[in-house]
Amino acid sequence: MLAATVPALLLAGCASADNETAPGAEEENGAEAAESTPHGYVEGAEEAAEPQSRLVLADADTGEIRVLDLITEEITDVGHVQEPTGIRGDGRYGYLTAADGSVQVVDSGAWTVDHGDHSHYYRAAIALGETLPAGTVPYKDAEVTVADGTVRAPGVDEPCADPSPSSSSSGYPKGIAVTRAGLVLGCADGALLITAAETETGTEEAEFTAERLPYPDGTAADERAGEFRHRAGSTTLAATAVNGEGFWTLDVLTGQWEFTADDSVIAVNAVGNGGVVLALTDGGELLSLDPDSGEEIARTELPGDSIEVDSSRAYVSDVAGQKIHEIDYADDLRIARTFDLDIAPSHMVETGR
C-alpha cells in the first residue's frame, strides 16, 4: 500500500509563479526597502543580465554532489547524500531523495523571477541545505497526499490508482511534475492535474481543484507513462512507457496524449511549445523527433542516460563516461560543450531558469 506525502519542497515551483522569496529567505520590509531593491531580490544575491543556469548532479554509488555552473564552467563540491535514488528541482533548489526517504536540499544559488513580460535573474552562493524527513512539506501552506489510491488536498479528494510508475524507495510516486499549469500526477487511467486558486486576501488557505487527463481509449496498464520530464516553464510533458515499447507526450493545457512506438528509447524530454522531443536510445544515440508525428528530424551518436532541457540547450548525462554533454538541439544536435566530471552524474537537474 502506498501512503506518502508528496514532498512539498518539490512542489515549491507551483506555490508562486514569481518564486520571489526563496525558502528560508527573509522578506524585505517597508516601502523604502521595496523601492531600493530589485523585485524578487534575496539578500546576498547578485542580479544578472541573463539566466544563471547550473546543474545539480549526484552520484548514485558514492552519494557525492556537485553543482556545475554553465556560465563560468566551474564545478563546486557540495557534499554528499546517503544513497540518492532520485532528484527534483524547483528552479533554484535541487531535492535529492535518499534511500530512507529523506530529502537533501541543495541550494544551487541560481534562479529566475518571471513576471510574464520580463524576468529577473539572480546568482548567489552554492550551499548544502537541510535534510528533510521522509513524508514532510507543505504545498500552498497545505499538504498534497497520495494514500491508498487517493489524492487529497484542501477541497480535493480524487482517486489516483497505482501512481506511476510505482512508488520509489522513498515512498512517493515518481510520476509527478510541477508545471506552470499546476501539479501533475500520473495515475493508472491517465494524469491528474492539481491546481490551487489564489485567495482574495492571500492569508486564507488555498483551495485546490483537480482535473483528470485520461489516456486514450484502449491504453493497456503496461503502456502507461512512467516518470515525467519537461522543460522548466513548459506545459508539455514527456515520459517513456513503463513497458519500454515507446514514449508519451502530454499537453497539460489540452489534455492531449500522443504515443510514439519505439522500443529503443530509454529516456526522453520535451522542449515544449511545439518544439521537438529529444530521446536517447539503447544503441547510444540521441534523436530529435517531431512531437506529433514522431518523425525523426535529426540523429547523432551520443551515449547517455538522462536529458535536461532549457529554452536553447539540452544536457545529456553520460554516467559511465562521467561527462555532461551540452547539445544545441536547434542545430542538428550539435555538441556545443562537454564537461568532464570526477563523479558519475546518475542524477541531474537544471536550475537558474
Side-chain angles (χ1 to χ4, degrees):
M1 177 181 69
L2 173 67
T5 300
V6 177
L9 283 177
L10 302 180
L11 315 182
C14 279
S16 168
D18 288 348
N19 194 22
E20 293 178 9
T21 304
E26 295 182 0
E27 296 181 357
E28 296 290 343
N29 295 313
E32 182 178 348
E35 292 174 1
S36 62
T37 58
H39 198 42
Y41 175 77
V42 173
E43 186 176 358
E46 173 187 352
E47 187 164 13
E50 61 182 346
Q52 301 298 292
S53 300
R54 293 173 176 174
L55 295 177
V56 179
L57 309 165
D59 189 315
D61 292 329
T62 67
E64 292 295 314
I65 306 169
R66 303 288 186 267
V67 173
L68 168 59
D69 190 316
L70 296 168
I71 304 297
T72 66
E73 301 189 2
E74 294 179 356
I75 299 173
T76 301
D77 182 345
V78 185
H80 73 279
V81 61
Q82 189 67 31
E83 299 181 64
T85 62
I87 193 169
R88 289 291 188 277
D90 66 0
R92 173 175 179 175
Y93 296 89
Y95 302 100
L96 281 160
T97 305
D100 64 1
S102 63
V103 177
Q104 176 63 61
V105 181
V106 179
D107 185 354
S108 75
W111 67 97
T112 293
V113 180
D114 182 3
H115 296 292
D117 61 343
H118 72 284
S119 296
H120 295 270
Y121 311 108
Y122 297 98
R123 60 185 297 121
I126 297 167
L128 191 66
E130 63 181 320
T131 300
L132 306 173
T136 8
V137 268
Y139 165 51
K140 284 279 191 179
D141 297 322
E143 287 187 347
V144 177
T145 64
V146 184
D148 301 324
T150 302
V151 175
R152 294 184 176 88
V156 169
D157 191 338
E158 287 285 330
C160 180
D162 191 21
S164 68
S166 64
S167 66
S168 65
S169 57
S170 65
Y172 69 89
K174 294 175 68 178
I176 62 174
V178 178
T179 75
R180 294 178 73 95
L183 169 68
V184 180
L185 299 96
C187 308
D189 60 352
L192 194 64
L193 173 63
I194 307 294
T195 57
E198 296 293 338
T199 59
E200 291 184 5
T201 64
T203 58
E204 302 172 11
E205 186 178 72
E207 282 293 316
F208 292 76
T209 59
E211 179 184 356
R212 308 202 75 84
L213 309 177
Y215 285 119
D217 291 342
T219 301
D222 67 347
E223 294 174 333
R224 61 187 297 194
E227 186 171 6
F228 293 126
R229 309 289 292 180
H230 72 300
R231 176 180 61 78
S234 169
T235 53
T236 301
L237 305 182
T240 54
V242 295
N243 63 6
E245 296 297 320
F247 64 88
W248 292 94
T249 58
L250 168 62
D251 184 329
V252 175
L253 298 181
T254 65
Q256 182 69 36
W257 291 87
E258 295 287 347
F259 180 75
T260 299
D262 189 335
D263 61 7
S264 71
V265 171
I266 59 172
V268 291
N269 208 329
V271 172
N273 299 326
V276 299
V277 171
L278 300 177
L280 289 166
T281 73
D282 55 10
E285 293 180 305
L286 175 66
L287 310 180
S288 174
L289 305 167
D290 182 276
D292 297 320
S293 67
E295 180 182 352
E296 181 180 310
I297 298 171
R299 176 188 296 257
T300 189
E301 184 175 340
L302 188 70
D305 301 272
S306 65
I307 311 169
E308 281 290 295
V309 175
D310 62 32
S311 59
S312 61
R313 293 289 189 269
Y315 297 92
V316 174
S317 65
D318 179 356
V319 174
Q322 297 191 170
K323 300 177 187 296
I324 298 292
H325 300 287
E326 181 183 72
I327 307 299
D328 185 346
Y329 53 78
D331 186 16
D332 291 329
L333 303 178
R334 176 179 60 87
I335 298 177
R337 294 184 291 179
T338 294
F339 302 96
D340 294 314
L341 306 170
D342 64 344
I343 66 168
S346 314
H347 304 292
M348 172 177 65
V349 72
E350 185 177 3
T351 63
R353 292 280 179 170

